[in-house]
């Protein structure tokens, strides 16, 4: 009796494994930036819904990790929230590979304060001074005599990475900053704290807080798209050579109106 | 046949009981396996006493002393809240209250213990933090004080129910002997009952403490999340548990940051393990002390 059962089980197992091997779908691996992760993930899901034969795997790891994997041939598309570094281009050339970079979305970071804060414009250097702790009172930047409560995203988030690079030029955020784990948490904290300053992705600014102009420029779809807003950047997908086959189909999908709608849904700005 | 059935049942149940051991072992092994590689990058004292936690800057800094100090200050504050309230409630419920108020109070304490920690977090975020911010006129209500108060409230049921058990283990003959000598209720309570139950009560305090140290969701929501070394209750802090919860999702698998988070988990695990061992030791001692008379 027992032997029969074991036999049946192993036969069933073999069948399942075999079926999987034979039904191997064309697999596409995306790896890289955590900023791009939500876009890549939901675009991949939508794409697989539309093309049931496709099999997409999306991984994080960071822009650098993604590009290294791309050069080593571990992934097909590298998501990157920055441009390719010269060192990476030479590394690719050493393997006789040419990296193609395609901008798929734009990312802008809005600086926000409480609604009853009179400050409505800050310069880039004032913002850097506030976040590095050189300026600690609103009166030093033309506001009320009130202590500044610095609010930041958690240091592991893509938004933090982008802000540190665009606004702070790699300087460290003061240790006393309140680290919040989501864009929503920052909005709700800043709305309730009169001395607070925070930053969120452009898609998250709402009525309950006041978006501050940076160098006199307000963050909106247009200024982020044409790059006049200082805290904006492109997000890229990188491939080896001219995209073709499944890779080309997927990137075309991301650039299509349907794909760009996903970009906006995830709180980013579409490319056009 | 019958004895075979019985043996089979016994075997199944022993498997179930030992599965806990398996889980514990698996967790310990994984914590070491994932966390230990960090120490080839930096030594333990650099990790433990390092003053800055900048896991993603270049080069990254993994000093968890600010996180330890955050856990420490929040735990201390919470103990100030939960020890008097928890033990006081236990004394009242078990020793002083009439049957009617006992009928109401006991279930209430139990309900307090069954509220999910995220609900406490929401309460703290929407009610307690703004109230504390206004009352003390501080820049933000998300600080060590708020976290301490809420965690203290959360630990009350643990302390109360274990202290109550400890009081119930004190033989009635102790109290009767005291009354027979002419002592009144309060003299009996403070000179006889509490000393007799002292080890059980201290066990409850230690278990409450390990609950506070390990609590995650509430501190993530209300402690503010600033990795600073501070001794002020009005400053935002970043306890170890909140750090792991906030950053684990974003840390790349196998990276130094990932290993550092596992190493923090290891430190936390060791801390609560030590607490539990101490609690176990104390309760063994008191079992010996009162065992003969029970």
């Amino acid at each position: 009796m027992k032997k029969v059962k074991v036999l049946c089980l192993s036969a069933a197992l073999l069948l399942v494994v075999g079926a999987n091997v034979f039904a191997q779908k064309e697999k596409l691996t995306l790896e890289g930036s955590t900023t791009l992760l939500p876009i890549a993930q939901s675009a991949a899901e939508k794409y697989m819904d539309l093309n049931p034969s496709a099999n997409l795997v999306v991984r994080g790891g960071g822009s650098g990790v993604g590009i290294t994997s791309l050069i080593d041939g571990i992934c097909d598309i590298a998501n990157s929230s920055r441009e390719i570094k010269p060192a990476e281009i030479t590394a690719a050339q050493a393997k006789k590979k040419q990296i193609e970079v395609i901008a798929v979305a734009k990312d802008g970071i809005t600086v926000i304060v409480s609604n009853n804060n009179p400050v409505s414009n800050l310069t880039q250097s004032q913002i850097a001074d506030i976040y590095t702790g050189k300026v600690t009172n609103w009166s030093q930047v033309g506001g009320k005599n009130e202590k500044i409560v610095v609010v930041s995203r958690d240091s592991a988030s893509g938004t933090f990475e982008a802000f540190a690079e665009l606004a702070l030029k790699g300087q460290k955020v003061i240790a006393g900053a309140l680290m919040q784990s989501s864009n929503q948490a920052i909005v709700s904290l800043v709305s309730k704290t009169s001395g607070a300053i925070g930053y969120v992705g452009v898609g998250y600014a709402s009525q309950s807080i006041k978006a501050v102009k940076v160098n006199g420029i307000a963050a909106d779809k247009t200024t982020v798209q044409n790059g006049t807003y200082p805290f904006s950047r492109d997000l890229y997908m990188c491939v080896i050579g001219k995209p073709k086959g499944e890779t080309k189909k997927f990137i075309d999908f991301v650039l299509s109106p349907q794909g760009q709608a996903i970009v906006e849904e995830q709180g980013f700005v579409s490319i056009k | 046949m019958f004895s075979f059935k019985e043996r089979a049942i016994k075997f199944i149940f022993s498997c179930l009981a030992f599965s806990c051991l398996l889980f514990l072992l698996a967790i310990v092994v994984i914590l070491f396996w994932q966390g230990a590689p960090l120490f080839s990058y930096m030594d333990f004292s650099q990790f433990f006493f390092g003053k800055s936690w900048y896991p993603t800057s270049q080069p990254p800094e993994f000093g968890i002393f600010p996180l330890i100090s955050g856990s420490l200050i929040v735990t201390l504050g919470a103990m100030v809240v939960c020890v008097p309230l928890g033990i006081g409630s236990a004394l009242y419920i078990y020793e002083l209250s009439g049957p009617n108020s006992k009928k109401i109070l006991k279930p209430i304490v139990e309900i307090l213990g069954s509220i999910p920690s995220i609900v406490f977090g929401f309460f703290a975020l929407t009610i307690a933090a703004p109230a504390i911010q206004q009352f003390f006129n501080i820049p933000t209500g998300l600080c060590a004080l708020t976290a301490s108060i809420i965690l203290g409230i959360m630990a009350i049921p643990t302390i109360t129910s274990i202290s109550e058990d400890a009081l119930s283990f004190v033989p009635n003959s102790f109290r009767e002997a005291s009354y027979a000598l002419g002592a009144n209720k309060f003299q009996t309570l403070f000179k006889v009952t509490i000393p007799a139950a002292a080890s059980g009560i201290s066990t409850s305090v230690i278990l409450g403490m390990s609950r506070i140290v390990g609590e995650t969701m509430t501190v993530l929501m209300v402690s503010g999340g600033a990795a600073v070394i501070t001794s002020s209750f009005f400053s935002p802090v970043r306890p170890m548990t909140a750090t792991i919860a906030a950053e684990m999702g974003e840390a790349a698998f196998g990276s130094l940051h990932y290993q550092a988070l596992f190493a923090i988990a290891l430190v936390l695990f060791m801390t609560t393990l030590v607490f539990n061992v101490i609690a176990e030791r104390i309760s063994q001692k008191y079992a010996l002390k009162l065992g003969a008379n029970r």
Side-chain angles (χ1 to χ4, degrees), chain A residues 3 12 18 28-29 44 51 58 62 70 100 114 120 129 131 133 147 152 160 193 209 211 218 236 240 249 272:
Chain A
K3 263 185 189 166
L28 204 59
T29 310
N51 305 287
V58 183
L70 181 73
E100 195 82 12
S114 150
S120 61
D129 286 349
Y131 271 89
K147 199 173 172 285
S152 168
F160 173 89
T193 313
I209 40 85
Y236 307 97
I240 298 287
K249 263 177 78 185
K272 288 186 273 280

Side-chain angles (χ1 to χ4, degrees), chain A residues 37-234:
Chain A
L37 201 57
I39 297 178
Q41 222 147 27
S42 54
E45 275 163 27
K46 200 70 187 271
Y47 183 77
M48 283 190 281
D49 281 349
L50 297 171
N51 305 287
S53 68
N55 180 16
L56 272 64
V57 180
V58 183
R59 288 198 291 251
S63 305
V65 174
I67 293 167
T68 313
S69 303
L70 181 73
I71 295 169
D72 293 341
I74 299 167
C75 69
D76 304 293
I77 299 177
N79 298 327
S80 175
S81 56
R82 57 167 170 78
E83 282 176 38
I84 302 232
K85 290 176 183 167
E88 288 162 344
I89 295 173
T90 30
Q93 274 163 353
K95 295 199 168 189
K96 300 209 166 30
K97 286 176 181 174
Q98 184 87 40
I99 301 179
E100 195 82 12
V101 178
I102 301 139
V104 292
K106 285 184 185 279
D107 183 17
I109 296 164
T110 310
V111 176
I112 58 172
V113 295
S114 150
N115 268 333
N116 42 25
N117 192 327
V119 174
S120 61
N121 182 37
L122 289 168
T123 66
Q124 234 173 309
S125 64
Q126 280 172 331
I127 292 170
D129 286 349
I130 289 171
Y131 271 89
T132 50
K134 287 187 202 97
V135 168
T136 55
N137 196 299
W138 281 111
S139 62
Q140 288 166 276
V141 290
K144 291 184 284 195
N145 178 22
E146 190 173 21
K147 199 173 172 285
I148 299 178
V149 179
V150 177
V151 184
S152 168
R153 276 301 302 280
D154 261 309
S155 53
S157 90
T159 316
F160 173 89
E161 225 174 277
F163 186 78
E165 184 192 311
L166 293 167
L168 308 181
K169 310 284 179 231
Q171 296 175 83
K172 285 176 191 163
V173 169
I174 51 163
L178 276 74
M179 299 297 214
Q180 298 295 304
S181 54
S182 71
N183 280 300
Q184 264 93 4
I186 292 191
V187 170
S188 92
L189 178 59
V190 171
S191 70
K192 274 183 268 173
T193 313
S194 72
I197 183 168
Y199 60 85
V200 291
V202 270
Y204 292 92
S206 71
Q207 292 294 314
S208 59
I209 40 85
K210 187 162 94 177
V212 175
K213 286 180 186 163
V214 179
N215 294 345
I217 300 160
D220 56 35
K221 225 178 131 175
T222 342
T223 55
V224 170
Q225 266 175 354
N226 63 24
T228 46
Y229 182 68
F231 301 158
S232 61
R233 59 174 177 170
D234 287 353

Side-chain angles (χ1 to χ4, degrees), chain B residues 162-213:
Chain B
I162 300 173
S163 295
E164 240 192 287
D165 280 349
L167 291 170
S168 75
F169 284 144
V170 176
N172 252 336
S173 55
F174 279 35
R175 299 184 185 88
E176 282 155 8
S178 172
Y179 293 138
L181 288 171
N184 64 24
K185 208 160 188 176
F186 284 95
Q187 284 167 331
T188 306
L189 190 60
F190 285 105
K191 299 266 154 94
V192 177
T193 318
I194 293 179
S199 43
I201 292 173
S202 22
T203 305
S204 79
V205 170
I206 292 167
L207 290 179
M209 207 149 99
S210 75
R211 157 116 214 239
I212 293 166
V213 172

